[in-house]
Amino acid sequence: MNCVRVLPPFFRAWLIPFTWALAVSLAYGQCKPAMDEVDAFDSTRTVAAKPVNIGYLIPSNFETANGPKMIEEAKLLFSFSENDSIRSFFLTVAVQEREFLRIDNDFNVLLLLDDEQVIATMNVSDQGVFDPATNMRLYQHTCVVPLDLFFALTHLKVAKIRINYRTYKHTIDLSERQRTELREAVRCVGEAVQLIPLRP
């Protein structure tokens, strides 16, 4: 005859919050940001995760004996900055382009999330700099991430990024591994500034 043992009410009451806490700790494991510093001159705190390579390997304009040098299409950095007047998250997309392009201060960097939402983010204009290692121009698109988008990015993944220059649209596809790495970078910064895990 099989016997089923029932836990006493005290243990059942203790087990539920313990299981929830374990699930949260697994979902938001402790991580170490690449930078967490306070500026000695103006007390600005900057927290940044490790950069994430996104997109594909592409041929650059730098020729080697074996053909064009292959490079990462883009890199992404998620960060947080705080001082007396600023407290915000930032998403910086560094991308190599073959031509000189212009981009304005506007909602020109769009994120396609894995639930098919398209979110436009406000970017700072950039004219790029010449990169002698690739013979291409390197653009850094720094975008402000509102708090609601930050919380969305701790749960959802970014599937694609679209950059709208004045005369050209550049779409970057993220692999499943890159999507996960980006979400973990967002969570890492959120943990460092004590905004996640969320408490009930």
Side-chain angles (χ1 to χ4, degrees):
M1 182 176 180
N2 294 329
C3 296
V4 178
R5 300 188 65 180
V6 179
L7 288 173
F10 168 77
F11 288 106
R12 289 201 303 269
W14 173 82
L15 188 59
I16 291 172
F18 174 78
T19 304
W20 180 87
L22 179 61
V24 168
S25 65
L26 290 174
Y28 299 99
Q30 292 293 322
C31 71
K32 184 173 178 59
M35 179 172 71
D36 188 349
E37 299 177 353
V38 176
D39 189 282
F41 292 94
D42 60 14
S43 300
T44 298
R45 182 188 181 192
T46 303
V47 181
K50 295 177 182 176
V52 177
N53 292 326
I54 57 174
Y56 301 99
L57 281 176
I58 61 171
S60 71
N61 287 342
F62 188 89
E63 292 291 332
T64 70
N66 298 318
K69 178 181 178 181
M70 301 300 289
I71 60 170
E72 298 287 347
E73 185 176 1
K75 289 183 181 290
L76 193 148
L77 180 70
F78 192 80
S79 61
F80 172 84
S81 184
E82 178 181 29
N83 63 19
D84 291 338
S85 58
I86 298 175
R87 188 174 194 267
S88 184
F89 292 96
F90 297 94
L91 187 69
T92 302
V93 184
V95 59
Q96 301 271 0
E97 302 288 3
R98 299 185 183 282
E99 301 175 4
F100 175 76
L101 299 167
R102 292 184 181 275
I103 191 167
D104 300 316
N105 286 339
D106 205 346
F107 290 86
N108 289 319
V109 178
L110 289 77
L111 310 180
L112 173 64
L113 306 185
D114 58 5
D115 67 349
E116 299 186 352
Q117 288 186 75
V118 175
I119 309 291
T121 61
M122 180 71 182
N123 67 279
V124 178
S125 65
D126 184 34
Q127 296 185 3
V129 294
F130 179 74
D131 183 0
T134 63
N135 285 336
M136 298 169 70
R137 292 191 73 83
L138 176 64
Y139 290 81
Q140 293 191 55
H141 306 289
T142 301
C143 310
V144 178
V145 176
L147 203 56
D148 56 343
L149 177 56
F150 161 74
F151 284 116
L153 293 179
T154 64
H155 296 286
L156 301 172
K157 297 180 180 180
V158 177
K160 296 183 180 183
I161 297 175
R162 162 71 60 83
I163 302 170
N164 290 329
Y165 297 96
R166 287 186 188 176
T167 57
Y168 169 67
K169 295 179 179 180
H170 188 156
T171 301
I172 304 168
D173 289 300
L174 280 72
S175 68
E176 186 58 38
R177 178 182 58 80
Q178 293 168 350
R179 297 176 190 188
T180 300
E181 288 179 352
L182 172 53
R183 186 178 64 181
E184 292 308 308
V186 174
R187 289 177 174 179
C188 185
V189 174
E191 284 183 6
V193 300
Q194 299 181 338
L195 278 180
I196 59 171
L198 298 176
R199 302 299 181 185

